[in-house]
């Protein structure tokens, strides 16, 4: 049984998918795996909250103050690496089991490859305590989405594992009986992957059931956080709750992925390639996007294929929507006429366009709610206002991972609160809704900005996304933001709006938008890498310019082009100019 089980696992988990949109892009798990960032969740005032305590050893998962944990949950959002962590655990168990069998000279399948524990040296001693897995005679990995109509864990193991290992009915019957005896007598580890993908049975069970006679076994369950709330899992059912938040060293992960790409195998210039990738990431502001393993793999893979996401945030988030939508609906179809450039060649957005439109409507109205407490975290009552409270719509939003649900404290009862997986996703969806309904700028956003002083800076990300989606709408919105900037004059705010308009301009250019006429009345200009783009913005705003502050300090840097030192600002059309400040040398003034 052990030999057949380890062979089965090595065939199944030896490889892992490294590109969310391509199920065929696989690499060896041990070649690409990096330790996850797992934090302990501690109970406080009756509810679990994340602590700063990192989980670095298997021992820390399975024990609490030397007392074994019988039912453990690992929660994390879509694409954060929960399934990959379980696959690595299984492979580690296979390694230690094979080594122990060899020491005891127990029979093991001759065709089974043994992985040396030296492989784990490069994991910086994180989860390197394979001996902690020796306590488990067997490890049984169950993918819950493949057993949605089953309730008994033993039946799940039989149908997913035993039936895959053995072919004849007689062998299976013998294995069923042996499995039952093993689970009765031996301490086994049962991995239940994807509780959020398990619908349960008609009896409304919130968790798969482990038979009482198998109570010596340990359950480790992964799920997205919303399922912990929806399933009404009691505190008494949770021995330990952990939060998985992706990986720590993102550039080490990118290097690992690059190392195993076919294009780079055996090449001596991996350092050069990694350096180029890091420069690319920093240049186009992609670093924050790499914190999510799914987005990290997407960006690395796209870059190796020659598709550089050159600063287009809309393109990145369209690809992210592709990944998330695919998790809830595998149907594919391309737009014959893409409504926006970033949707070109996407395959998972068009079949789910109705879901997208409803999610975008909710994202917009919640984000621009006068009750700020509801802008990012909201209840099912708020969702129902946008037809997301309906079972199919809510299930799609949760299964895709776009919405997350958590349990919220209440004086009378426990309720659910919802949020988008990340505020930036909500902002992208809100911008999409504005792009589709430009009347909202006058009907909703104008009043919102008037009611909330300084809010024009708070909607910066929505504005930047809108620049890439609908430049006409963005031009109009920039006018409102500029009016508020002038009205509430503040030197700090002026720098902020300048940077927002500059970033929006670059997003528009990255999406090949035409007729970019973003409004900016106040300019603080330094002769740096931004000067060319700011000059382009200024050129279209001559008649609106109210104030200019220009600073120039000559530098001998070879990287600075001659054109940057010869930029001309023709003030003859600046009829509204009230203030002009010049600092530095080599600033030439001329007049007719």
């Amino acid at each position: 049984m052990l030999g057949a089980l380890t062979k089965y696992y090595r065939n199944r988990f030896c490889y892992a998918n490294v590109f969310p949109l391509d199920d065929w892009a696989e690499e060896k798990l041990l070649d690409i795996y990096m330790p996850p960032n797992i934090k302990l969740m501690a109970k406080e005032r009756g509810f679990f909250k994340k602590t700063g305590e990192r989980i670095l050893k298997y021992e820390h998962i399975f024990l609490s103050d030397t007392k074994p944990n019988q039912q453990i949950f690992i929660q994390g959002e879509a694409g954060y690496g929960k399934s990959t962590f379980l696959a690595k655990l299984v492979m580690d168990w296979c390694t230690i089991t094979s080594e122990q069998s060899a020491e005891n000279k127990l029979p093991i399948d001759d065709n089974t490859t043994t992985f040396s524990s030296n492989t784990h040296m490069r994991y910086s001693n994180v989860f390197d305590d394979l001996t902690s897995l020796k306590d488990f005679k067997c490890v049984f990995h169950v993918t819950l989405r493949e057993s949605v109509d089953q309730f008994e864990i033993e039946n799940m193991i039989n149908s997913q594992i035993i039936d895959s290992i053995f072919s004849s009915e007689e062998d299976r019957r013998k294995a069923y009986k042996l499995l039952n005896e093993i689970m009765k007598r031996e301490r086994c580890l049962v991995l239940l992957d994807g509780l959020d993908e398990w619908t349960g049975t008609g009896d409304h069970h919130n968790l798969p059931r482990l038979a009482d006679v198998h109570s010596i076994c340990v359950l480790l369950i992964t799920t997205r956080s919303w399922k912990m709330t929806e399933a009404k899992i009691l505190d008494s059912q949770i021995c330990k709750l952990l939060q998985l938040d992706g990986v720590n060293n993102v550039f080490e992960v990118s290097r690992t992925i690059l190392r195993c790409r076919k294009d780079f195998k055996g090449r001596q210039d991996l350092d050069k390639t990694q350096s180029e990738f890091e420069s690319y990431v920093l240049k186009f502001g992609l670093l924050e996007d790499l914190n999510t393993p799914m987005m990290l793999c997407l960006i690395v893979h796209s870059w190796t294929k020659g598709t550089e996401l050159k600063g287009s945030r809309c393109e990145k988030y369209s690809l992210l929507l592709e990944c998330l939508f695919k998790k809830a609906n595998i149907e594919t179809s391309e737009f014959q006429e893409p409504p926006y450039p970033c949707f070109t060649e996407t395959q998972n957005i068009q079949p789910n366009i109705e879901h997208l439109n409803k999610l975008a409507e909710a994202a917009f109205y919640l984000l621009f709610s006068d009750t700020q407490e509801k802008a990012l975290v909201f209840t099912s009552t708020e969702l129902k206002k946008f037809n997301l409270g309906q079972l199919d719509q809510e299930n799609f939003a949760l299964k895709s991972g776009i919405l997350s649900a958590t349990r919220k404290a209440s004086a009378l009862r426990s309720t659910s609160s919802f949020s988008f997986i990340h505020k930036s996703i909500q902002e992208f969806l809100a911008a999409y809704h504005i792009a589709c309904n430009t009347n909202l700028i006058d009907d909703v956003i104008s009043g919102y900005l008037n009611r909330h002083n300084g809010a024009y800076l708070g909607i910066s990300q929505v504005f930047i996304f809108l620049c890439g989606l609908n430049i006409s709408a963005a031009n109009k919105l920039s006018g409102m933001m500029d009016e508020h900037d002038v009205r509430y004059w503040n030197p700090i705010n002026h720098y902020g709006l300048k940077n927002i308009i500059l970033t929006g301009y670059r997003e528009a250019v990255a999406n090949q938008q035409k007729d970019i006429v973003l409004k900016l009345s106040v300019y603080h200009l330094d002769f740096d890498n931004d000067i060319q783009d700011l000059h382009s913005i200024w050129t279209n705003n001559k008649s609106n310019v109210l104030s200019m502050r220009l600073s120039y300090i000559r530098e001998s840097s070879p990287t600075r082009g001659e054109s940057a030192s010869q930029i001309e600002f023709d003030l003859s059309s600046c009829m509204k100019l009230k203030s002009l400040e010049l600092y530095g040398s080599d600033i030439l003034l001329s007049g007719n």
Side-chain angles (χ1 to χ4, degrees):
M1 175 70 89
L2 284 176
L5 193 60
T6 54
K7 181 179 180 180
Y8 165 77
Y9 283 145
R10 283 172 176 148
N11 288 334
R12 181 177 179 185
F13 296 115
C14 184
Y15 289 87
N17 177 265
V18 294
F19 184 48
L21 294 180
D22 185 359
D23 289 335
W24 301 102
E26 292 188 322
E27 300 292 345
K28 287 185 177 180
L29 175 64
L30 294 181
D31 286 343
I32 64 170
Y33 183 82
M34 291 296 293
N37 179 17
I38 300 179
K39 298 285 183 65
L40 174 67
M41 301 282 287
K43 192 184 298 184
E44 181 180 324
R45 296 180 181 177
F47 296 92
F48 286 94
K49 293 186 178 180
K50 185 164 59 176
T51 70
E53 181 180 339
R54 278 196 67 195
I55 303 298
L56 303 173
K57 305 289 183 183
Y58 287 125
E59 176 186 9
H60 300 156
I61 294 178
F62 300 114
L63 295 177
S64 292
D65 299 326
T66 71
K67 180 182 177 181
N69 297 310
Q70 291 300 115
Q71 191 152 280
I72 307 151
F73 292 83
I74 299 180
Q75 66 178 18
E77 298 304 340
Y80 273 36
K82 302 182 297 295
S83 297
T84 305
F85 176 71
L86 291 193
K88 175 61 166 50
L89 187 155
V90 169
M91 296 299 287
D92 284 346
W93 176 79
C94 290
T95 297
I96 199 66
T97 299
S98 298
E99 292 178 356
Q100 189 175 12
S101 298
E103 291 173 1
N104 297 330
K105 298 184 179 179
L106 295 177
I108 204 82
D109 195 297
D110 291 334
N111 295 322
T112 301
T113 303
T114 300
F115 291 93
S116 170
S117 58
N118 291 332
T119 305
H120 306 281
M121 291 297 291
R122 65 184 179 89
Y123 298 135
S124 304
N125 300 321
V126 178
F127 292 107
D128 65 340
D129 58 328
L130 274 60
T131 54
S132 297
L133 302 177
K134 290 171 63 175
D135 294 337
F136 301 111
K137 176 61 70 174
C138 288
V139 171
F140 300 109
H141 182 287
V142 173
T143 303
L144 287 174
R145 69 171 174 269
E146 297 177 10
S147 297
V148 292
D149 58 344
Q150 293 179 310
F151 170 54
E152 297 287 346
I153 291 176
E154 183 181 1
N155 293 338
M156 296 178 181
I157 297 174
N158 283 333
S159 61
Q160 289 195 29
I161 299 177
I162 301 301
D163 289 355
S164 297
I165 294 176
F166 302 99
S167 57
S168 71
E169 290 299 322
E170 182 180 358
D171 287 344
R172 287 178 178 176
R173 281 195 298 269
K174 291 179 181 179
Y176 295 160
K177 185 176 180 180
L178 177 58
L179 172 67
N180 183 42
E181 292 300 317
I182 290 175
M183 295 181 70
K184 280 182 183 179
R185 303 171 186 271
E186 303 286 353
R187 189 165 185 253
C188 299
L189 175 61
V190 180
L191 306 175
L192 302 180
D193 188 25
L195 181 64
D196 52 285
E197 298 180 286
W198 182 72
T199 57
T201 64
D203 296 328
H204 304 292
H205 300 289
N206 66 343
L207 288 173
R209 179 178 178 272
L210 184 69
D212 290 342
V213 293
H214 301 152
S215 60
I216 194 175
C217 296
V218 174
L219 298 183
L220 177 57
I221 306 169
T222 67
T223 182
R224 297 181 196 169
S225 57
W226 66 265
K227 187 66 175 183
M228 297 289 290
T229 300
E230 190 233 32
K232 296 183 174 66
I233 298 172
L234 303 175
D235 290 351
S236 59
Q237 296 177 291
I238 305 173
C239 293
K240 180 171 280 190
L241 178 61
L242 306 174
Q243 176 79 28
L244 194 155
D245 287 327
V247 296
N248 286 309
N249 192 330
V250 294
F251 281 134
E252 185 62 29
V253 179
S254 66
R255 182 182 181 85
T256 300
I257 296 174
L258 288 173
R259 184 191 298 119
C260 65
R261 296 298 304 171
K262 292 181 180 179
D263 306 17
F264 301 109
K265 283 180 180 177
R267 291 176 56 171
Q268 300 298 316
D269 60 348
L270 179 60
D271 289 343
K272 178 176 178 292
T273 302
Q274 173 65 18
S275 178
E276 291 173 352
F277 177 74
E278 291 183 15
S279 298
Y280 154 69
V281 167
L282 297 175
K283 179 179 180 180
F284 296 110
L286 304 176
L287 185 59
E288 185 177 349
D289 299 312
L290 301 187
N291 291 326
T292 303
M294 180 170 65
M295 184 67 83
L296 188 156
C297 293
L298 185 150
I299 291 174
V300 172
H301 184 90
S302 300
W303 184 74
T304 59
K305 295 296 184 181
T307 303
E308 290 189 345
L309 305 178
K310 296 182 179 179
S312 172
R313 301 189 185 194
C314 292
E315 183 183 9
K316 288 182 292 185
Y317 279 81
S318 296
L319 286 175
L320 182 55
L321 283 183
E322 284 265 272
C323 299
L324 296 174
F325 282 172
K326 184 181 179 181
K327 291 178 177 292
N329 180 13
I330 61 174
E331 182 184 354
T332 61
S333 177
E334 292 188 10
F335 288 99
Q336 290 186 353
E337 295 183 5
Y340 305 105
C342 59
F343 285 179
T344 303
E345 297 183 0
T346 59
Q347 296 187 341
N348 298 94
I349 293 179
Q350 194 278 333
N352 299 296
I353 195 68
E354 291 186 10
H355 292 296
L356 171 62
N357 290 337
K358 284 185 170 59
L359 285 165
E361 181 184 14
F364 171 79
Y365 281 104
L366 290 167
L367 195 63
F368 286 89
S369 169
D370 284 329
T371 307
Q372 288 300 293
E373 291 79 6
K374 296 180 180 180
L376 300 179
V377 180
F378 31 89
T379 67
S380 57
T381 302
E382 272 85 43
L383 288 179
K384 289 178 181 178
K385 297 177 182 177
F386 312 104
N387 295 321
L388 286 176
Q390 299 175 6
L391 189 60
D392 59 333
Q393 293 288 347
E394 184 176 316
N395 284 345
F396 179 89
L398 292 172
K399 287 183 178 180
S400 66
I402 291 178
L403 283 186
S404 175
T406 55
R407 187 167 58 182
K408 187 174 71 172
S410 172
L412 298 176
R413 62 184 179 276
S414 223
T415 58
S416 297
S417 62
F418 299 84
S419 63
F420 286 89
I421 184 176
H422 196 276
K423 185 180 179 182
S424 60
I425 286 282
Q426 184 177 358
E427 290 166 328
F428 176 67
L429 292 173
Y432 167 79
H433 189 65
I434 298 169
C436 296
N437 304 274
T438 57
N439 61 293
L440 294 173
I441 297 176
D442 286 324
D443 296 346
V444 177
I445 299 178
S446 176
Y448 176 81
L449 295 180
N450 288 331
R451 291 189 298 272
H452 302 279
N453 294 342
Y456 68 98
L457 296 175
I459 64 170
S460 60
Q461 297 305 311
V462 175
F463 167 75
I464 292 167
F465 282 129
L466 188 60
C467 288
L469 295 169
N470 186 328
I471 191 58
S472 176
N475 288 335
K476 185 172 185 178
L477 182 55
S478 72
M480 286 186 181
M481 296 170 69
D482 183 72
E483 287 178 15
H484 284 272
D485 187 64
V486 173
R487 184 185 309 169
Y488 303 105
W489 189 90
N490 185 309
I492 297 177
N493 286 354
H494 287 314
Y495 279 107
L497 184 62
K498 182 200 77 172
N499 292 333
I500 293 169
I501 297 295
L502 176 62
T503 306
Y505 172 83
R506 288 171 173 169
E507 180 67 19
V509 171
N511 285 275
Q512 300 179 338
Q513 298 284 358
K514 306 297 182 183
D515 300 320
I516 306 173
V517 192
L518 301 176
K519 187 175 180 181
L520 185 63
S521 299
V522 178
Y523 291 81
H524 290 187
L525 304 171
D526 298 304
F527 272 71
D528 53 20
N529 294 331
D530 297 334
I531 191 63
Q532 294 285 5
D533 289 338
L534 284 170
H535 184 265
S536 297
I537 296 171
W538 180 89
T539 300
N540 292 322
N541 275 283
K542 291 181 182 180
S543 61
N544 298 316
V545 175
L546 298 176
S547 174
M548 286 185 63
R549 180 184 186 277
L550 193 149
S551 176
Y552 177 66
I553 300 176
R554 174 180 288 277
E555 294 183 4
S556 58
S557 172
T559 60
R560 178 158 299 175
E562 280 298 314
S563 59
S565 63
Q566 298 177 4
I567 290 179
E568 178 179 295
F569 290 87
D570 183 356
L571 305 181
S572 61
S573 300
C574 299
M575 305 304 295
K576 296 181 181 180
L577 184 64
K578 296 180 179 180
S579 173
L580 177 63
E581 300 178 45
L582 305 175
Y583 295 87
S585 58
D586 297 318
I587 299 177
L588 304 180
L589 297 177
S590 63
N592 296 326

